[in-house]
Amino acid sequence: MPILALDTATLVSSVALATRETLVAELTLQTRKTHSEQLMPHIEQLLVLAETPKEDIEAVAVSIGPGSFTGLRIGLATAKALAYALQIPLIGVPTLEALAFGCPVSGAVLAPTMDAQKGNIYFALYRWQTAGLQQIAPARVIDHRAALAELAVFAEPVIVLGEAVGLYREAIDEVEGVAAAKPHVVMPRAASVAMLGWQLLDNGVRHDVMTLEPLYIRRSEAEDLWERRQSVCT
């Protein structure tokens, strides 16, 4: 029985079905339509193409961030609804870890990133080791120039993944020993969320449908604006 995985942390909409051993099907699109318009139709299309009734889904894995605030909320709400309706486990998978997981390169530092606005990025560091993918620096918000300065000190090659590649490609190319990932691994994919979801599920991880929240790391622009307005009024 497969796990259903969703990744809506960016403009990319990605859904996948996977068993523990096999990627059964994946649909990944970057279009002008919003996730609210396309996510459920993509899930329905995926199940039809894979000839998999929804009753056969064993669990739902979802990318929980950091990333687009709206995209994360839509993805998590959809995953929660499916898990609740089907009475199956829900697993939240960190987006940056899923990005790194999709680039199985040994002997290199992996730097998955997401856009955090105003020149900042969400940023973490990983490395493949014998035991699997290991985190060497936790997710945080950092100016992209400061992040590249950190990456420049590593003796081993560094591969940058995620939205920083599209936003700051020229700056990345100027740093010796640091390279941008190739297009087919640069953005989040639900296949990686699915495989990480299986790992977590097999390790006994189950997240509560009612309490699981997106991993935002920073506050939204709307929250900052509201606080500024409140301080002016008081």
Side-chain angles (χ1 to χ4, degrees):
M1 296 174 69
I3 194 171
L4 173 67
L6 319 177
D7 196 321
T8 57
T10 66
L11 293 176
V12 176
S13 175
S14 187
V15 295
L17 279 173
T19 66
R20 287 177 175 82
E21 299 81 22
T22 305
L23 174 60
V24 178
E26 183 182 35
L27 179 59
T28 300
L29 295 174
Q30 184 168 348
T31 69
R32 292 175 181 244
K33 292 185 178 180
T34 65
H35 293 304
S36 60
E37 294 177 283
Q38 62 187 1
L39 183 56
M40 284 305 300
H42 286 171
I43 293 171
E44 293 172 2
Q45 185 178 6
L46 184 80
L47 294 175
V48 170
L49 291 173
E51 299 181 338
T52 301
K54 61 181 182 295
E55 293 77 15
D56 284 356
I57 300 172
E58 186 168 336
V60 180
V62 60
S63 176
I64 59 169
S68 161
F69 283 44
T70 301
L72 292 174
R73 286 194 294 267
I74 292 171
L76 183 55
T78 303
K80 285 184 172 186
L82 290 168
Y84 182 81
L86 299 173
Q87 292 297 290
I88 55 177
L90 172 69
I91 303 101
V93 176
T95 302
L96 296 179
E97 184 175 355
L99 264 170
F101 190 85
C103 186
V105 177
S106 60
V109 172
L110 302 177
T113 67
M114 302 291 287
D115 183 22
Q117 305 297 320
K118 299 179 180 178
N120 298 314
I121 57 174
Y122 300 110
F123 174 78
L125 297 176
Y126 293 84
R127 183 186 286 118
W128 283 97
Q129 298 178 338
T130 304
L133 184 66
Q134 303 296 315
Q135 185 184 78
I136 57 177
R140 63 194 192 277
V141 177
I142 185 173
D143 181 87
H144 74 279
R145 292 173 291 266
L148 290 175
E150 285 190 24
L151 298 180
V153 305
F154 283 95
E156 58 206 299
V158 178
I159 301 174
V160 180
L161 305 147
E163 293 182 311
V165 172
L167 293 169
Y168 308 114
R169 180 60 179 264
E170 291 184 5
I172 293 170
D173 290 342
E174 291 176 358
V175 183
E176 186 176 355
V178 178
K182 298 300 181 183
H184 64 292
V185 295
V186 74
M187 296 308 295
R189 288 181 56 189
S192 297
V193 175
M195 293 308 177
L196 277 171
W198 274 123
Q199 287 187 14
L200 293 169
L201 190 65
D202 290 340
N203 287 329
V205 175
R206 309 285 194 284
H207 290 119
D208 189 276
V209 171
M210 298 303 175
T211 61
L212 181 63
E213 296 290 339
L215 180 63
Y216 290 133
I217 297 183
R218 70 170 180 84
R219 299 192 308 173
S220 69
E221 291 291 330
E223 289 174 306
D224 288 338
L225 179 59
W226 184 87
E227 185 173 280
R228 290 196 297 269
R229 286 177 174 173
Q230 290 299 110
S231 64
V232 170
C233 294
T234 54

